[in-house]
Amino acid sequence: MIFNPQNILVIDFGQLGDVVLSLPALRAIRERFPQAKITLVVGKPGAELVDLSGYANATLVVDRVALRDGSKLVYIGRLLKLIKNVRQQKFDFVIDLHSLSETNLLGFLSGAPKRLYSRRPGRSLDFLANFSPRSPLEKDHRARHLIDRYLDVLTPLGITNAERLPRLRTRPEDITAIDKLLKKEKAEAGSPLIGLFPGAGHPSRRWPLERFAELAEFLERNDRVRPIVFAGPEERPLVAHMKSLFPRSTIILDRLSIPQLAAAQARLAVLVSNDTGPMHIAAAVGTPVVLLLDRRAPESYIPLGDRHRVIYRGTIPEITVDEVYEVTRALLAGGRTATLFAS
């Protein structure tokens, strides 16, 4: 039987880093159904990323936090509005990559005749899916990379051996905007740029800000680089403190859109970061990453590829400035050597 849906709804309800790691699956869906209209239901941070990827024709943006934390009446109202919007578009196939009970229910209520869901024991409502064969049952999430878990969902569609690396291209208008910012800071040429992302979703995943500042000072003094500190909405209240800690030459970028962030990170020689969504964006645009993790963090979320380095310790504060500096300097030297031979 030839299965050729023309109007596909993909539910991708993960956080920003999860959406980056879902890009190989989204690319595989696009390649499997090149003529179909593909619409993604995605959270606010991931919507700009999906638009940048080019794998979807449209997005339905859902504020997951507001949907979850609002009053029950507001929640029901927003949910009914979303369901009405989805039903009006008359999808003929739903793929739920993330599979929570509420996303499975949304797929069922969409009215689509075929539904393929990720099967997550204790979280997904498998009886609401009806595509045959079914996706394999998800096993230990700490033992299998999230990229592969997303791709596993698609195996019933005959999608195997898909490319696993997330890839993002930057847009000319975003490159131009970043060029203007760097020119204003007199950093458009000359010294390599080293990115630092001191934020993270939880305090236990944050390397102390003072050590990021000390690292920036080491790199500036010893390796003649310009540090760029990236700050998202959560870190914005700390910007004034950052300015007092970091070397005066440090550039602090705290008002970038997601596509502009990707364009800025593509200009970096290296990014040093906590475990964050922006770290995954940097890896997807081809920038080498130094990732700081504690031993409790599963390896199933680290960026793939041999250009990146992960520093593990029992807890994040146990990581020293010296070891981060040495790893960062090694990546920087490797990049300079590659540029030299390329020229």
Side-chain angles (χ1 to χ4, degrees):
M1 183 181 70
I2 297 175
F3 182 62
N4 191 30
Q6 295 300 301
N7 195 13
I8 302 172
L9 178 69
V10 179
I11 304 175
D12 196 356
F13 247 32
Q15 297 182 11
L16 183 61
D18 301 328
V19 175
V20 176
L21 296 179
S22 76
L23 290 175
L26 299 182
R27 180 172 58 232
I29 295 169
R30 177 78 281 169
E31 292 174 352
R32 174 66 174 80
F33 303 109
Q35 303 303 318
K37 178 184 178 183
I38 298 176
T39 301
L40 251 74
V41 177
V42 64
K44 273 186 174 181
E48 288 182 293
L49 190 69
V50 171
D51 290 339
L52 189 62
S53 76
Y55 300 143
N57 300 93
T59 55
L60 290 175
V61 181
V62 178
D63 189 334
R64 298 169 66 243
V65 175
L67 201 64
R68 180 192 64 205
D69 295 342
S71 70
K72 288 187 177 180
L73 287 176
V74 172
Y75 169 82
I76 292 171
R78 286 174 173 160
L79 189 60
L80 290 175
K81 183 178 180 180
L82 176 61
I83 292 170
K84 181 181 178 181
N85 189 354
V86 166
R87 290 185 67 87
Q88 287 175 340
Q89 299 193 46
K90 300 186 182 303
F91 295 104
D92 51 13
F93 186 36
V94 174
I95 303 172
D96 189 346
L97 293 175
H98 210 63
S99 261
L100 302 171
S101 57
E102 58 266 34
T103 60
N104 289 167
L105 185 61
L106 175 63
F108 176 74
L109 295 175
S110 72
K114 291 293 182 181
R115 301 178 297 278
L116 175 64
Y117 292 170
S118 170
R119 299 174 63 202
R120 306 176 69 191
R123 304 191 73 173
S124 58
L125 304 176
D126 292 350
F127 64 92
L128 294 179
N130 65 356
F131 194 89
S132 181
R134 297 193 294 173
S135 298
L137 197 66
E138 181 183 277
K139 297 181 180 179
D140 184 5
H141 73 278
R142 300 180 67 90
R144 188 159 176 77
H145 202 283
L146 181 58
I147 289 173
D148 297 312
R149 284 182 273 144
Y150 283 136
L151 288 170
D152 286 345
V153 182
L154 309 180
T155 54
L157 300 173
I159 295 174
T160 57
N161 299 318
E163 184 181 353
R164 298 173 69 230
L165 283 178
R167 299 186 189 278
L168 281 173
R169 293 182 179 178
T170 54
R171 302 183 305 197
E173 59 267 34
D174 302 312
I175 295 172
T176 299
I178 295 304
D179 284 345
K180 288 181 179 178
L181 284 173
L182 295 179
K183 187 175 182 179
K184 183 179 178 181
E185 298 287 346
K186 300 180 180 180
E188 74 276 14
S191 300
L193 305 176
I194 297 290
L196 306 171
F197 201 100
H202 192 275
S204 65
R205 289 161 39 193
R206 296 178 198 146
W207 200 43
L209 187 61
E210 292 77 11
R211 296 191 193 175
F212 273 105
E214 189 176 349
L215 175 66
E217 185 180 351
F218 279 17
L219 288 164
E220 179 192 55
R221 183 176 66 244
N222 299 331
D223 300 277
R224 298 181 180 179
V225 305
R226 285 291 297 275
I228 298 183
V229 175
F230 296 94
E234 292 180 353
E235 296 80 41
R236 205 163 288 147
L238 298 174
V239 167
H241 186 43
M242 290 177 182
K243 290 179 178 178
S244 69
L245 284 177
F246 284 83
R248 292 182 62 184
S249 68
T250 303
I251 303 166
I252 298 178
L253 300 179
D254 65 330
R255 300 284 175 176
L256 301 180
S257 66
I258 294 296
Q260 288 172 347
L261 175 65
Q265 291 183 330
R267 297 288 298 273
L268 302 175
V270 182
L271 175 75
V272 181
S273 178
N274 297 316
D275 185 11
T276 65
M279 175 273 300
H280 287 291
I281 293 175
V285 297
T287 297
V289 167
V290 177
L291 173 58
L292 312 178
L293 285 180
D294 66 39
R295 284 290 180 188
R296 295 168 295 178
E299 294 186 6
S300 51
Y301 295 90
I302 65 174
L304 300 180
D306 57 6
R307 304 186 70 198
H308 313 300
R309 300 291 181 268
V310 182
I311 300 177
Y312 284 107
R313 287 294 175 267
T315 63
I316 292 288
E318 292 178 34
I319 299 174
T320 67
V321 174
D322 285 343
E323 60 188 320
V324 179
Y325 171 66
E326 290 302 326
V327 172
T328 304
R329 194 180 194 191
L331 282 179
L332 179 62
R336 284 171 166 165
T337 302
T339 301
L340 179 63
F341 278 101
S343 61

